[in-house]
């Protein structure tokens, strides 16, 4: 039997403590992928037990897969917690999934009726330049300027949704981005205002003064779903679930505290509200995501498949541990109540979690978008303070070899800059020329770094060390 409203109470799992059919669609979420379903939807599912206003309408901007899997299950799915303890929970907070391009009007109707808009559209989904400003050269943004009523980009949907609300005399929704971007709220609001300004100056002013767009930090390790998980969940709960989600037990959501009187009682479900999100977010992006990307590229180089396998290699676990504690921690402000060395040890333990198979190849996606945020941010500060940057250069060199090996093997590279990077990777010759060619990619390496001789020498030496240990298959 299939998981659905008719059968969920028979599942051998924790089931919703509320009647899913009574939920209102108070939240519109863009990008209802695995991370959203593991994280925000689980918090809102907990909230639904006491407040029915915050059911979710998910909006996919590209694929139909989530809609096709979840709508026949009445939006229900299983969240498997795979850690020291294993748990299965049926989540019912997603009440419908729309596919934007199929029916933009339906999305705008939901945007008119909701109170909160959230997003997990990945770093590239915000269409920002390396300096954080909206990229007006991006094809989707150019499209949205020409066709604002039928946009392609997330930012385009937000602008048109807000325009319709203003025209109906309604206040803006609260906009809460949930991707691993520094200052995500500030950047998103600036992007929305910038797009609106090109379309309607008054709308831009209305958004500027009225839109609350808090910064957030989100965290929970969520490997992609595979057939093994589907089989495991079916076995455990006794119902067939087309798209269960897996994650570790740890989960954290930090939201900038802002005045929103009639909003959800976030704190009641464990969300941390603070006026210092940047401190949390910098710590997480640089101490979790930075080491993650380091393990991904350096681990794939050594032939490992998963994070926990890479962590069992003393050289790699030593590298990320030193990178965290010796290179990054000294650069950070400690968020209130947090002990940074303790935070690092807890992250290393999470990376070792043997109960999940978190593929390094999944983390290796979109390196051109992730490395500036996760590694180059620390590296620039370390250089400015005269610290040694040899370890921080390792993930960069390993990414360069990763790109080169994809170019040579002809395997696809998952990256919005794939075409340029593959062309570059095909032409590589020797360390100096290779490193120079990568450092000339301005969308990744700013001029200030690319011209710095200490930085160049560090990357060249890390690159040399990798060449010396490259497996014959890749060479
Ligand atoms: C990972 C993140 O895939 C990646 O790039 O580093 O998805 C990471 O697992 C999450 O940010 C953890 O909160």
């Amino acid at each position: 039997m299939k998981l659905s409203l008719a059968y969920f109470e028979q599942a051998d799992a924790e089931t919703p403590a509320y009647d899913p059919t009574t939920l209102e669609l108070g939240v519109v979420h863009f990008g209802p992928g695995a991370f959203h379903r593991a994280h925000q939807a689980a918090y809102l599912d907990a909230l639904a037990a006491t407040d029915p206003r915050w059911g979710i309408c998910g909006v996919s901007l590209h694929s139909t897969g989530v809609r096709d899997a979840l709508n026949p299950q009445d939006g229900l799915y299983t969240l498997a917690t795979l850690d020291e303890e294993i748990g299965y929970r049926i989540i019912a907070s997603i009440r419908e999934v729309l596919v934007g391009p199929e029916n933009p009007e339906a999305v705008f109707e939901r945007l008119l009726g909701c109170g909160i808009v959230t997003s997990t559209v990945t770093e590239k989904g915000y269409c920002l330049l390396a300096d954080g400003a909206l990229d007006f050269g991006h094809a989707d943004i150019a499209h949205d300027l020409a066709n604002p009523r039928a946009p392609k980009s997330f930012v385009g949907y937000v602008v048109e949704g807000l325009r319709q609300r203003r025209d109906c005399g309604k206040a803006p929704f609260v906009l809460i981005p949930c991707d691993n971007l520094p200052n995500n709220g500030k950047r998103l609001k600036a992007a929305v205002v910038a797009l609106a300004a090109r379309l309607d100056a008054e709308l831009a002013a209305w958004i500027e003064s009225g839109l609350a767009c808090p910064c957030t930090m989100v965290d929970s390790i969520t490997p992609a779903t595979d057939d093994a998980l589907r089989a495991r969940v079916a076995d455990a709960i006794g119902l067939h679930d087309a798209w269960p989600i897996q994650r570790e037990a740890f989960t954290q959501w930090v939201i900038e505290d802002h005045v929103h009187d009639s909003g959800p009682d976030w704190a009641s479900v464990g969300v941390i509200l603070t006026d210092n999100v940047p401190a949390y977010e910098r710590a997480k992006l640089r101490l979790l995501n930075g080491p993650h990307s380091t393990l991904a590229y350096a681990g794939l180089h050594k032939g490992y498949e998963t994070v926990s396998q890479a962590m069992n290699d003393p050289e790699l676990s030593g590298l990320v541990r030193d990178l965290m504690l010796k290179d990054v921690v000294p650069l950070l402000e400690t968020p209130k109540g947090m002990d940074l060395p303790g935070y690092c040890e807890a992250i290393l333990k999470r990376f070792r979690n043997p109960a999940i198979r978190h593929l390094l190849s999944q983390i290796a996606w979109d390196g051109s978008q992730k490395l500036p945020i996760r590694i180059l941010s620390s590296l620039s500060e370390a250089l400015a303070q005269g610290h040694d940057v040899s370890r921080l250069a390792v993930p960069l060199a390993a990414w360069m070899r990763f790109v080169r090996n994809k170019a040579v093997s002809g395997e696809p590279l998952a990256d919005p800059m794939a075409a340029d990077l593959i062309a570059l990777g095909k032409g590589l010759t020797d360390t100096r020329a290779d490193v120079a060619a990568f450092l000339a990619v301005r969308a990744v390496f700013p001029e200030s770094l690319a011209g710095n001789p200490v930085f160049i020498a560090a990357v060249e030496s890390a690159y040399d060390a990798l060449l010396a240990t490259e497996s014959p298959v890749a060479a």
Side-chain angles (χ1 to χ4, degrees):
M1 263 178 317
K2 202 183 206 13
L3 177 61
S4 65
L5 282 176
Y7 297 115
F8 77 93
E9 277 162 338
Q10 298 175 22
D12 201 353
E14 186 187 342
T15 52
Y18 58 91
D19 174 358
T21 61
T22 61
L23 288 193
E24 294 160 34
L25 292 176
V27 177
V28 175
H29 180 83
F30 286 82
F35 187 75
H36 168 66
R37 283 178 278 156
H39 190 271
Q40 301 98 54
Y43 282 91
L44 291 168
D45 182 75
L47 192 67
T50 54
D51 185 348
R53 295 176 299 158
W54 309 107
I56 303 165
C57 162
V59 179
S60 299
L61 289 180
H62 302 288
S63 58
T64 56
V66 177
R67 190 267 318 270
D68 295 345
L70 290 197
N71 285 1
Q73 300 184 175
D74 303 315
L76 273 51
Y77 64 94
T78 315
L79 179 59
T81 306
L82 304 181
D83 220 303
E84 277 162 11
E85 282 180 29
I86 311 284
Y88 299 92
R89 169 175 161 202
I90 308 298
I91 304 284
S93 51
I94 300 184
R95 300 310 319 128
E96 74 177 2
V97 179
L98 302 174
V99 176
E102 282 180 4
N103 190 355
E105 292 313 318
V107 177
F108 294 126
E109 200 183 313
R110 293 298 179 226
L111 288 173
L112 266 181
C114 73
I116 294 176
V117 173
T118 53
S119 58
T120 46
V121 291
T122 80
E123 294 86 342
K124 61 179 178 284
Y126 295 87
C127 305
L128 304 179
L129 292 164
D131 67 1
L134 185 66
D135 180 3
F136 282 102
H138 193 292
D140 289 356
I141 299 298
H143 169 276
D144 294 356
L145 276 174
N147 310 276
R149 307 283 186 271
K152 281 191 175 168
S153 75
F154 165 57
V155 175
Y157 271 95
V158 170
V159 170
E160 174 59 10
L162 287 169
R163 184 195 68 78
Q164 295 195 11
R165 286 177 78 109
R166 181 205 52 181
D167 291 357
C168 292
K170 295 189 89 165
F173 38 69
V174 174
L175 182 59
I176 308 183
C178 301
D179 279 288
N180 289 317
L181 277 182
N183 278 319
N184 53 12
K186 286 202 176 60
R187 285 191 181 188
L188 175 57
K189 180 165 178 180
V192 169
V193 171
L195 184 62
R198 296 263 179 118
L199 294 165
D200 173 344
E202 275 175 30
L203 175 64
W206 181 79
I207 295 175
E208 177 74 63
S209 63
L211 177 70
C213 189
C215 288
T216 66
M217 184 272 259
V218 291
D219 191 8
S220 193
I221 290 176
T222 306
T225 299
D226 54 15
D227 286 341
L229 180 74
R230 285 191 183 85
R232 176 176 189 161
V233 166
D235 204 40
I237 73 165
L239 293 173
H240 174 75
D241 181 348
W243 204 332
I245 300 294
Q246 57 183 330
R247 69 151 158 83
E248 62 176 339
F250 180 90
T251 174
Q252 194 172 43
W253 194 1
V254 182
I255 304 182
E256 192 176 357
D257 207 356
H258 64 288
V259 184
H260 184 207
D261 291 340
S262 56
D265 182 359
W266 292 116
S268 72
V269 288
V271 174
I272 299 172
L273 296 167
T274 168
D275 57 7
N276 195 6
V277 174
Y280 282 94
E281 161 223 278
R282 264 197 296 273
K284 192 261 170 169
L285 291 174
R286 297 182 188 198
L287 292 173
L288 187 146
N289 297 111
H292 238 180
S293 292
T294 306
L295 285 172
Y297 300 118
L300 288 167
H301 176 82
K302 291 189 92 174
Y304 297 115
E305 257 189 296
T306 68
V307 174
S308 61
Q309 280 169 6
M311 284 297 290
N312 279 335
D313 179 318
E315 192 197 349
L316 290 176
S317 53
L319 169 73
V320 286
R321 191 166 193 281
D322 286 349
L323 186 137
M324 293 160 88
L325 288 160
K326 296 185 182 159
D327 299 339
V328 180
V329 166
L331 304 169
L332 296 175
E333 175 197 344
T334 306
K336 208 167 120 208
M338 204 192 251
D339 141 48
L340 285 179
Y343 183 63
C344 294
E345 295 303 342
I347 289 170
L348 290 164
K349 181 162 183 249
R350 290 166 63 196
F351 286 171
R352 276 190 222 101
N353 179 1
I356 48 177
R357 269 179 62 75
H358 195 188
L359 294 180
L360 297 170
S361 58
Q362 181 188 341
I363 301 165
W365 281 33
D366 294 354
S368 70
Q369 313 291 301
K370 292 174 176 173
L371 288 172
I373 293 168
R374 299 173 174 204
I375 300 291
L376 296 181
S377 48
S378 298
L379 208 145
S380 307
E381 287 173 20
L383 269 179
Q385 296 181 23
H387 300 174
D388 174 42
V389 294
S390 47
R391 254 187 309 264
L392 284 163
V394 173
L396 305 176
W399 171 68
M400 293 171 184
R401 290 310 291 169
F402 170 79
V403 170
R404 178 265 179 194
N405 292 338
K406 292 279 185 202
V408 170
S409 69
E411 283 172 31
L413 176 70
D415 194 296
M417 292 187 66
D420 291 348
L421 292 171
I422 289 292
L424 186 159
K426 280 189 178 146
L428 301 181
T429 49
D430 63 73
T431 297
R432 283 183 80 104
D434 294 4
V435 169
F438 276 106
L439 295 188
V441 180
R442 259 321 139 263
V444 179
F445 300 100
E447 188 91 52
S448 54
L449 264 184
N452 183 311
V454 178
F455 172 62
I456 298 172
V459 180
E460 284 176 354
S461 122
Y463 197 91
D464 271 337
L466 289 166
L467 280 185
T469 56
E470 198 141 87
S471 70
V473 188

